[in-house]
Amino acid sequence: MSTAFDRRTFLRTAAATGGAGALALLAASCASGSGTRSDPDTVSLWGVTGTFVPFQTKVIEQFKRLHPEIRVNVNQVPSQGTGDATSVITAVRGGTAPDLWLLDRFSAAQYAAIGLIEPIDDLIAEFEDQPKDAFLADWLGFTVGELTYQGKTYGLPHDTDARGMFVNRTMLSDAGIDLDEFDWEQNGPVTMARMAEVSERLTKKSGGDYTHMGLLPWYGEGWPFTWGLGLGASYFDQADSRMTMDSDGVRSVYEFYEEWAKRYGYRAADTFIATYEPTGHPPGQTAFLANRMAFMVSVPSTIQTFDNYGPKDLDWSVAYLPTQQADDPKYTWSGGFALCLPKGSKKTKAVWELMKYFTGKRGQETYMVPATSVPSNIAALEDPKGSAKSIRFFTESMPDSTCRPPLPVGGVWWDSLADARSSVLLGTATPQEAVERAQARVDPMMQTYSPFRLPKDYDEVSV
């Protein structure tokens, strides 16, 4: 971590000043360096890293065959988490930021608020022969909504995903549990009460320590926002332009965590995870893959881990997230990445052409199939060849999906929810105390942007 920019300090400072100071700093610092990369036909890209690099490389090679006049320079910059832009902030200040940056889509509103990224509205107007709304209709609605701030659009959506509950069928079979009950093609979601019954049946101990477990709702993608969707939690009041993180709906999420933590003993359950997934463990060493954990809330890229590292005889499936009542609607949420323009991007036609191809039908199909990711481009999503067959549950979950609210304080909002979860699980705060602390932490920052309204229909799928 750079000593110049501590993540939480930066976000707190930017929010406290309404983003104005950060915006002025970024604008001034990139002005001197923006002309050093003036070749209009050269595009610099900060893209993916790790196992996804070969998929990105193939997309770029295809693009270069179509556009031999355009040179693409790719740098692999370590990905930041939600709200962490240390590398690109440093690059913008030094005038060395790329023309295109693949960033966590949820962070776009926050980065737009402080002037770190630029809108694409003028590029659409200059290079497309249709209105902005018609052009953006090619992507899932909520993926565009996440990229919208104060009426402007700050990128084009790339991949997306959804949350589902992976099921270890071997463990269920060994326990005599009907597999059809968790078959998403035959049945809807099971209730959380039924999950408690099944988990109790699957959980085993030896010498006082857990050896097998059913569901641990805080494991994997069991975030407060995940369960909050099923509990009707709401975090922002549009009418009053204030956070509502201490509302009854949000508190119920932490009461749910508290109930399950008391049932199994959080520290004992944590010891179980540490035993089968020690710090620094290889990708193939997980409790689920070892037939020790029956349920795991996760995303479609998990299937790539199964394919690359799982045992050949792994018997798994995916089920809907559990609901509170039997007749409650199905729910899930989606994240993903987007190509954006950091402050100082050349914003030439070459930049725009690469941006469109990378996030368009052909680029997404090339990338999404081996990455086991869900396309955000509707034409690619609707094409049977546009995604891996193994993720059909996730592609067909799109009509039930939504996204996180694109708030200008999104990073600290997310961190506050996670910190509140830790406090409740460890027993250092009651659910009421946890949500009050979260509200007291985030709402003053949000007030610096008041009045603020989320984009209209930002969370709609719009397929």
Side-chain angles (χ1 to χ4, degrees), residues 4 58 122 141 203 228 245 253 273 276 301 303 310-311 328 361 386 389 399 418 422 433 453 461:
K58 189 172 182 180
D122 53 347
T203 299
M245 299 177 69
V253 177
I273 295 298
Y276 294 99
S301 59
I303 298 170
D328 285 351
K361 182 178 187 292
K389 293 180 180 178
S422 297
E433 290 169 340
R453 294 193 67 81
V461 177

Side-chain angles (χ1 to χ4, degrees), residues 35 79 85 90 159 177 179 193 222 320 340 363 383 403 407 441 456:
S79 298
T90 302
D159 61 325
I177 297 169
L179 294 175
Y320 295 110
C340 297
D383 190 333
C403 65
L407 298 166
R441 178 179 171 187
K456 183 181 179 182

Side-chain angles (χ1 to χ4, degrees), residues 258-309:
E258 184 181 54
E259 176 190 350
W260 280 72
K262 287 180 177 178
R263 179 178 298 145
Y264 292 110
Y266 173 70
R267 287 177 172 81
D270 196 45
T271 298
F272 164 81
I273 295 298
T275 299
Y276 294 99
E277 301 178 14
T279 302
H281 67 88
Q285 184 179 339
T286 69
F288 188 93
L289 292 176
N291 295 326
R292 298 282 180 170
M293 177 179 284
F295 303 104
M296 173 178 63
V297 178
S298 196
V299 293
S301 59
T302 299
I303 298 170
Q304 190 185 76
T305 300
F306 292 172
D307 293 343
N308 293 338
Y309 305 105

Side-chain angles (χ1 to χ4, degrees), residues 33-56:
S34 59
T36 59
R37 297 171 287 112
S38 57
D39 182 354
D41 291 326
T42 296
V43 182
S44 57
L45 165 69
W46 282 8
V48 301
T49 59
T51 59
F52 298 96
V53 170
F55 319 144
Q56 174 183 264

Side-chain angles (χ1 to χ4, degrees), residues 365-379:
E365 286 179 343
T366 299
Y367 183 96
M368 302 304 162
V369 175
T372 60
S373 291
V374 178
S376 64
N377 180 275
I378 294 173

Side-chain angles (χ1 to χ4, degrees), residues 22-34 89-96:
L23 175 59
L25 171 63
L26 292 169
S29 60
C30 74
S32 61
S34 59
I89 289 171
T90 302
V92 167
R93 291 185 67 190
T96 59

Side-chain angles (χ1 to χ4, degrees), residues 220-380:
E221 290 291 315
W223 298 105
F225 186 73
T226 302
W227 304 120
L229 287 171
L231 288 163
S234 178
Y235 307 91
F236 181 70
D237 185 331
Q238 295 254 49
D240 292 339
S241 194
R242 62 178 295 272
M243 304 301 297
T244 55
M245 299 177 69
D246 54 353
S247 62
D248 292 345
V250 178
R251 186 182 65 248
S252 68
V253 177
Y254 296 95
E255 292 171 343
F256 162 71
Y257 280 130
E258 184 181 54
E259 176 190 350
W260 280 72
K262 287 180 177 178
R263 179 178 298 145
Y264 292 110
Y266 173 70
R267 287 177 172 81
D270 196 45
T271 298
F272 164 81
I273 295 298
T275 299
Y276 294 99
E277 301 178 14
T279 302
H281 67 88
Q285 184 179 339
T286 69
F288 188 93
L289 292 176
N291 295 326
R292 298 282 180 170
M293 177 179 284
F295 303 104
M296 173 178 63
V297 178
S298 196
V299 293
S301 59
T302 299
I303 298 170
Q304 190 185 76
T305 300
F306 292 172
D307 293 343
N308 293 338
Y309 305 105
K312 294 185 185 301
D313 60 350
L314 180 68
D315 189 7
W316 63 273
S317 61
V318 193
Y320 295 110
L321 298 175
T323 56
Q324 297 303 307
Q325 304 296 328
D327 57 352
D328 285 351
K330 298 188 291 290
Y331 66 95
T332 186
W333 66 275
S334 300
F337 286 74
L339 269 186
C340 297
L341 306 168
K343 191 75 174 177
S345 169
K346 291 193 295 290
K347 301 173 71 172
T348 60
K349 184 171 178 58
V351 171
W352 181 240
E353 290 298 329
L354 177 58
M355 194 177 198
K356 282 198 304 178
Y357 187 86
F358 199 98
T359 60
K361 182 178 187 292
R362 180 73 187 280
Q364 288 205 15
E365 286 179 343
T366 299
Y367 183 96
M368 302 304 162
V369 175
T372 60
S373 291
V374 178
S376 64
N377 180 275
I378 294 173

